[in-house]
């Protein structure tokens, strides 16, 4: 299923070299992939549907409105900041976090996800995003450099314990 | 005939332990190490007698502190000389001496006694893997750490990714690769990065800095 979106002259910036791939994901995470082809002065953008992840989706018993993380809490499975295999499913290739409309998490669990990813970034398990998160404030610091107090190892306590005590969660 | 010599050697000889401090909490490991240095894990222990065992701690540079401690907590140094009070933040202390954090945590777990410094002298700490041969020759057992080493995203294999179940179903019109995101990236040259701020005056009363603040900074005198 390919369709021609527009024909215009494009300055062929080499996207792969200019962006910094700090996250090494071996499997394409997107459902739809956009590829560009340049033939003469005609640029073709193709959108292809690639693999579906439906065969491997975790299905837990319970009503449909309840999000997966709430269901896991009920079964007392607590996700920690070290569970990188879980957290990477909620990240794009630049390192930014997917919105709750796509992930299907309730606001409380979305907060927890953001906190866990922030903590994982601070301990060095996940790299910081390579693009600015908001358009208004561009990325100020080279993400490959880490601040001095993050160059050493650290570990974070359980999210529920920190929240109850009212301690610093890594804002 | 009673064979007591082997039994005697087994009971009274001093055992050397190895401890790998990579990704371990220094407080929790300090409790274990202090217990072994004092000799409380032995049935022949007596408080005044030096019945402790020796411990060689390696990789102390990679010790892991809790939460935000590297940035938020400081070592308060106070000596009995004038103007020698400092608050050294722990990330700076680790730069200057990578073994000091573990050493202080073990010292803290030992009871305040005459034998404290003698027992602490049995602890040998090294920031990395390099240990002198004459110490490594004595080592015969290892102390386990309580924490698990976490996995980085770079080291996760594709097998693990494929076997792991997906947490949610991708919606139909999802595109995860945007082409012109690089427009928003601007790498700031080092001149524009703000310098370290030092508070002066009455508000800065009880702060003890670990970096030197020269007196010329206190007043700016403009000479026309």
């Amino acid at each position: 299923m390919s369709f021609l979106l527009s024909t215009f002259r494009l300055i062929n910036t080499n996207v792969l070299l200019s962006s910094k791939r700090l996250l090494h994901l071996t499997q394409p995470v997107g459902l739809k992939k956009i590829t560009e082809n340049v033939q003469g002065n005609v640029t073709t953008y193709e959108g292809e549907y690639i693999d579906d992840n439906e065969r491997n989706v975790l299905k837990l018993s319970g009503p449909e409105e309840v999000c997966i993380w709430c269901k896991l809490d009920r079964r007392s499975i607590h996700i920690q900041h070290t569970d990188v295999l879980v957290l990477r499913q909620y990240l794009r290739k630049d390192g930014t976090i997917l919105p709750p409309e796509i992930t299907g998490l309730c606001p409380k669990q979305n907060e927890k996800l953001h906190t866990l990813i922030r903590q994982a970034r601070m301990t060095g398990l996940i790299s910081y995003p390579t693009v600015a998160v908001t358009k208004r404030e561009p990325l100020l610091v080279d993400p490959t450099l880490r601040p001095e107090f993050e160059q050493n190892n650290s570990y974070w306590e359980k999210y529920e314990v920190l929240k109850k005590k009212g301690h610093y969660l890594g804002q | 005939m009673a064979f007591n010599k082997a039994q005697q050697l087994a009971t009274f000889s001093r055992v050397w332990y190895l401890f790998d401090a990579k990704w371990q909490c220094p407080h929790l490991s300090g409790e274990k190490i202090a217990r072994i240095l004092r000799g409380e894990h032995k049935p022949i222990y007596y408080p005044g007698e030096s019945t402790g065992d020796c411990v060689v701690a390696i990789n102390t540079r990679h010790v892991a502190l809790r939460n935000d401690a590297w940035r938020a907590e400081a070592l308060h140094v106070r000596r009995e000389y004038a103007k020698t009070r400092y608050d050294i933040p722990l990330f700076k202390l680790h730069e200057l001496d990578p073994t000091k954090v573990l050493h202080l945590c073990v010292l803290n777990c030992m009871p305040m006694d005459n034998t404290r410094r003698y027992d602490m002298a049995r602890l040998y700490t090294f920031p990395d893997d390099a240990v002198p041969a004459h110490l490594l020759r004595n080592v015969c057992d290892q102390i386990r750490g309580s924490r698990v080493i976490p996995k980085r995203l770079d080291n996760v294999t594709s097998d693990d990714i494929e076997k792991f179940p997906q947490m949610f179903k991708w919606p139909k019109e999802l595109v995860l690769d945007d082409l012109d995101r690089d427009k928003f990236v601007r790498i700031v040259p080092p001149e524009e990065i703000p310098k370290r701020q030092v508070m002066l005056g009455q508000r800065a009363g009880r702060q003890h800095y670990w970096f030197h603040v020269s007196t010329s900074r206190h007043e700016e005198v403009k000479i026309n």
Side-chain angles (χ1 to χ4, degrees):
Chain A
M1 222 177 17
S2 66
F3 44 91
L4 202 73
L5 286 178
S6 64
T7 57
F8 55 88
R9 270 184 230 103
L10 178 80
I11 304 163
N12 221 351
T13 53
N14 204 338
V15 179
L16 286 172
L17 277 184
S18 53
S19 69
K20 295 183 188 179
R21 303 272 175 212
L22 297 176
L23 297 172
H24 304 285
L25 298 169
T26 49
Q27 196 192 19
V29 193
L31 185 65
K32 192 159 88 174
K33 195 176 171 188
I34 293 183
T35 50
E36 50 171 298
N37 274 326
V38 181
Q39 291 131 16
N41 54 353
V42 169
T43 317
T44 317
Y45 285 94
E46 288 185 30
E48 321 165 4
Y49 286 108
I50 50 178
D51 55 354
D52 198 6
N53 71 337
E54 193 160 353
R55 50 192 158 76
N56 215 5
V57 172
L58 185 75
K59 285 192 185 94
L60 295 171
S61 64
E64 278 289 316
E65 306 89 40
V66 181
C67 68
I68 304 176
W69 285 37
C70 289
K71 287 180 192 165
L72 285 173
D73 279 348
R74 288 232 179 137
R75 289 161 175 75
S76 68
I77 299 170
H78 297 293
I79 301 178
Q80 291 164 5
H81 68 98
T82 50
D83 296 333
V84 164
L85 285 167
V86 171
L87 295 178
R88 69 162 273 284
Q89 292 173 25
Y90 294 96
L91 297 174
R92 293 177 215 250
K93 276 190 187 161
D94 349 11
T96 41
I97 307 175
L98 291 169
E101 294 89 30
I102 295 176
T103 60
L105 292 176
C106 60
K108 239 182 18 176
Q109 299 297 338
N110 196 32
E111 261 312 301
K112 184 177 175 182
L113 172 75
H114 276 256
T115 306
L116 290 179
I117 289 178
R118 224 185 296 133
Q119 287 174 357
R121 282 176 186 159
M122 286 169 86
T123 54
L125 305 176
I126 294 175
S127 52
Y128 284 97
T130 56
V131 291
V133 179
T134 51
K135 269 190 197 176
R136 219 165 31 132
E137 302 146 0
L139 193 69
L140 288 183
V141 178
D142 193 9
T144 45
L145 300 173
R146 312 198 92 220
E148 334 173 86
F149 40 85
E150 286 180 23
Q151 270 160 18
N152 302 312
N153 298 339
S154 58
Y155 70 95
W156 290 83
E157 279 185 319
K158 271 176 109 175
Y159 173 80
E160 290 84 20
V161 171
L162 282 179
K163 193 135 189 262
K164 190 165 182 192
K165 286 189 187 174
H167 282 354
Y168 181 66
L169 285 166
Q171 259 86 9
Chain B
M1 281 171 62
F3 298 96
N4 279 335
K5 186 65 181 179
Q7 199 180 39
Q8 184 189 33
L9 284 172
T11 330
F12 291 102
S13 64
R14 186 171 294 155
V15 180
W16 284 64
Y17 289 94
L18 184 73
F19 180 71
D20 194 357
K22 216 170 201 176
W23 286 102
Q24 302 299 327
C25 174
H27 300 289
L28 297 174
S29 52
E31 284 176 13
K32 274 192 191 174
I33 294 174
R35 196 185 131 86
I36 286 178
L37 291 177
R38 282 205 83 195
E40 287 172 0
H41 64 295
K42 292 184 170 175
I44 53 161
Y45 167 72
Y46 191 75
E49 298 284 324
S50 62
T51 49
D53 285 337
C54 296
V55 174
V56 174
I58 59 173
N59 283 327
T60 52
R61 186 171 282 154
H62 307 287
V63 82
L65 282 180
R66 198 169 58 164
N67 301 345
D68 211 25
W70 288 116
R71 183 189 62 94
E73 286 168 31
L75 173 74
H76 185 72
V77 176
R78 188 178 69 86
R79 301 207 64 195
E80 287 169 17
Y81 301 103
K83 299 183 186 176
T84 48
R85 277 181 299 179
Y86 312 109
D87 286 318
I88 307 181
L90 290 180
F91 66 87
K92 190 67 188 176
L93 177 70
H94 211 65
E95 261 178 76
L96 303 171
D97 186 5
T99 65
K100 193 131 176 118
V101 173
L102 189 70
H103 185 90
L104 288 173
C105 285
V106 177
L107 194 70
N108 196 37
C109 295
M110 303 219 76
M112 191 67 192
D113 211 1
N114 285 337
T115 52
R116 186 171 75 149
R117 290 289 174 175
Y118 289 99
D119 291 332
M120 284 302 295
R122 293 203 193 96
L123 174 69
Y124 299 87
T125 51
F126 300 98
D128 292 313
D129 273 339
V131 180
H134 68 275
L135 294 177
L136 205 54
R137 211 176 49 169
N138 301 328
V139 167
C140 55
D141 204 353
Q142 191 177 5
I143 305 173
R144 275 180 193 254
S146 42
R147 295 201 64 84
V148 176
I149 297 175
K151 257 191 169 177
R152 289 188 63 179
L153 189 58
D154 305 348
N155 303 335
V156 165
T157 54
S158 56
D159 274 348
D160 296 334
I161 296 174
E162 274 161 37
K163 283 181 199 163
F164 204 80
Q166 301 285 327
M167 305 295 296
F168 61 98
K169 187 172 177 297
W170 294 319
K172 194 81 170 145
E173 297 298 318
L174 179 66
V175 180
L176 289 182
D177 240 326
D178 277 10
L179 289 176
D180 49 38
R181 283 290 202 127
D182 288 338
K183 269 197 229 161
F184 304 135
V185 178
R186 176 181 81 103
I187 293 175
V188 173
E191 306 89 58
E192 285 190 30
I193 292 172
K195 300 289 172 209
R196 210 200 310 259
Q197 298 272 325
V198 178
M199 278 204 288
L200 298 170
Q202 231 179 8
R203 287 183 61 196
R206 295 286 287 177
Q207 297 186 36
H208 313 294
Y209 299 107
W210 49 272
F211 47 87
H212 177 68
V213 181
S214 60
T215 41
S216 57
R217 278 212 61 200
H218 290 258
E219 294 169 316
E220 268 188 345
V221 180
K222 277 196 181 163
I223 300 170
N224 293 350

